[in-house]
Amino acid sequence: MYIYESKTILTPQNGLNVYRGRTESTITLRDVTGPDALDIGVKTDAAELLNGVLKKRRGKGIILMGNLGDPYNGLEGEYRIVRHCLQVIENMDYGVVISTRSSLIMRDMDILRNINHKTRVIVEIPFPTAKKKVFDKLEGIGERSDIYRTTGLAERIKLIEGLISEDIDVIVDITPLIPFINDSEDDVYKTLEVLKDAGVTMIDPGDLKLIIKKSGYDYFTGEFRARFPKEFEAFSKDYDGATELIPQNQDVLRKMLTSYCNECGIECDKNKIKGIRRQYVNKTMGEQMSLF
């Protein structure tokens, strides 16, 4: 862990990254920037910087948290920087989209309720499979104990249900699908059933594939080999050196997923999901379509 300083706080797309670096040891860690794939920097003055930026803006919009690492990692329990930023977001009447694997987000439900009352809160939750043993290996459950904070299968389902019970919009990300691990029709169908039973109404299918950056390729293949040695043998024959991993049954999976979601009233159109993420809603004065 290290502390870093920056004069900027938001990306051009309104991305807010309180912590720099990945803190989850998932097999799908795609961008490794240093010798320790899980090293993390802390921007201790994030809330102060955010307050200064939003004060100068006339319009309202959506703040995106978690695109470069889980904001609710183990360090957040100590530093509470995300909580302070959420207080700023609430005070400025902005909406927020948070991507997390951690139930630590429930700690901040008091602030999230207030934001959701005035505008919109969306929580994005990765959910790669409904099979516990595979889930644990994919997510790296138990791999790190210092700054690594995530949830196992049962707790993640409970997290989804808890957020939905609070009337928080939840988008579940079931991708990327990794060949020979979680890309069978049976795997995807069981995942959809579990999510339907949990009350999920929005599933992001993405492109039903995995793109590995060159900087993360060695990490990915090394973890694949270590966690799924048998599957890796088959994978290496068909995908050796590939950075775009497309399941051989991609079209079949897409049709099955679309059919299932349509029958159950679950939104799964990736373009519509993208629009929902960007839609700022003013629940007291109407709404506008804007990220900013």
Side-chain angles (χ1 to χ4, degrees), residues 8-288:
T8 60
I9 187 63
L10 293 177
T11 69
Q13 294 76 34
N14 269 12
L16 172 62
N17 296 298
V18 171
Y19 300 98
R20 173 185 287 175
R22 295 283 182 176
T23 62
E24 63 272 12
S25 58
T26 65
I27 196 174
T28 54
L29 183 63
R30 284 164 283 176
D31 191 11
V32 179
T33 57
D36 184 351
L38 301 181
D39 197 10
I40 182 171
V42 182
K43 187 177 288 189
T44 56
D45 59 349
E48 180 181 351
L49 290 172
L50 180 63
N51 186 66
V53 170
L54 297 187
K55 269 187 175 180
K56 298 177 182 179
R57 292 187 175 180
R58 293 184 178 181
K60 306 299 181 183
I62 299 289
I63 304 297
L64 310 175
M65 303 180 70
N67 62 314
L68 293 180
D70 199 321
Y72 285 102
N73 58 79
L75 294 176
E76 172 59 20
E78 175 184 354
Y79 286 92
R80 301 169 70 87
I81 303 173
V82 170
R83 180 173 177 83
H84 296 323
C85 288
L86 288 176
Q87 290 172 329
V88 172
I89 291 170
E90 177 195 351
N91 291 339
M92 298 296 177
D93 295 335
Y94 273 68
V96 65
V97 177
I98 305 171
S99 179
T100 184
R101 291 172 162 84
S102 174
S103 58
L104 182 60
I105 190 175
M106 300 303 288
R107 177 202 65 186
D108 296 334
M109 188 51 64
D110 55 332
I111 304 175
L112 295 176
R113 287 192 197 101
N114 292 337
I115 297 174
N116 199 44
H117 177 74
K118 293 184 287 185
T119 174
R120 161 169 278 168
V121 174
I122 298 175
V123 179
E124 296 185 77
I125 300 178
F127 197 92
T129 180
K131 295 182 177 180
K132 185 180 184 307
K133 290 184 178 180
V134 178
F135 186 99
D136 287 352
K137 290 181 180 180
L138 283 173
E139 295 288 284
I141 303 298
E143 292 291 321
R144 288 283 289 254
S145 60
D146 46 4
I147 58 175
Y148 175 63
R149 175 183 289 271
T150 188
T151 51
L153 178 62
E155 189 178 357
R156 198 161 308 180
I157 294 171
K158 184 178 179 180
L159 172 59
I160 292 170
E161 293 173 338
L163 290 166
I164 292 174
S165 71
E166 292 282 355
D167 293 324
I168 300 294
D169 288 331
V170 174
I171 297 175
V172 174
D173 186 359
I174 64 170
T175 60
L177 299 180
I178 303 176
F180 301 101
I181 294 182
N182 64 335
D183 67 333
S184 73
E185 292 179 57
D186 181 60
D187 285 334
V188 175
Y189 186 81
K190 287 182 178 179
T191 298
L192 293 174
E193 283 199 313
V194 168
L195 295 176
K196 180 199 69 173
D197 292 343
V200 171
T201 59
M202 291 185 285
I203 293 176
D204 187 355
D207 293 319
L208 295 178
K209 64 181 180 181
L210 171 62
I211 296 178
I212 303 293
K213 292 185 178 181
K214 291 182 179 179
S215 62
Y217 184 79
D218 289 342
Y219 173 89
F220 171 75
T221 54
E223 293 300 315
F224 196 150
R225 183 186 294 107
R227 302 183 195 189
F228 300 93
K230 181 178 179 181
E231 291 82 356
F232 184 77
E233 289 185 16
F235 169 85
S236 60
K237 293 179 182 178
D238 293 343
Y239 295 90
D240 184 38
T243 56
E244 184 179 44
L245 310 181
I246 302 175
Q248 296 174 355
N249 59 343
Q250 183 190 56
D251 291 339
V252 173
L253 291 176
R254 184 179 288 113
K255 290 179 181 178
M256 183 194 73
L257 185 146
T258 301
S259 176
Y260 186 97
C261 289
N262 287 342
E263 288 182 8
C264 299
I266 299 173
E267 182 59 72
C268 68
D269 186 300
K270 67 175 185 178
N271 293 320
K272 290 182 179 179
I273 294 291
K274 182 178 180 180
I276 291 171
R277 286 192 185 99
R278 293 173 173 267
Q279 183 184 43
Y280 174 78
V281 176
N282 186 326
K283 294 181 180 178
T284 61
M285 297 179 63
E287 66 180 56
Q288 66 183 44

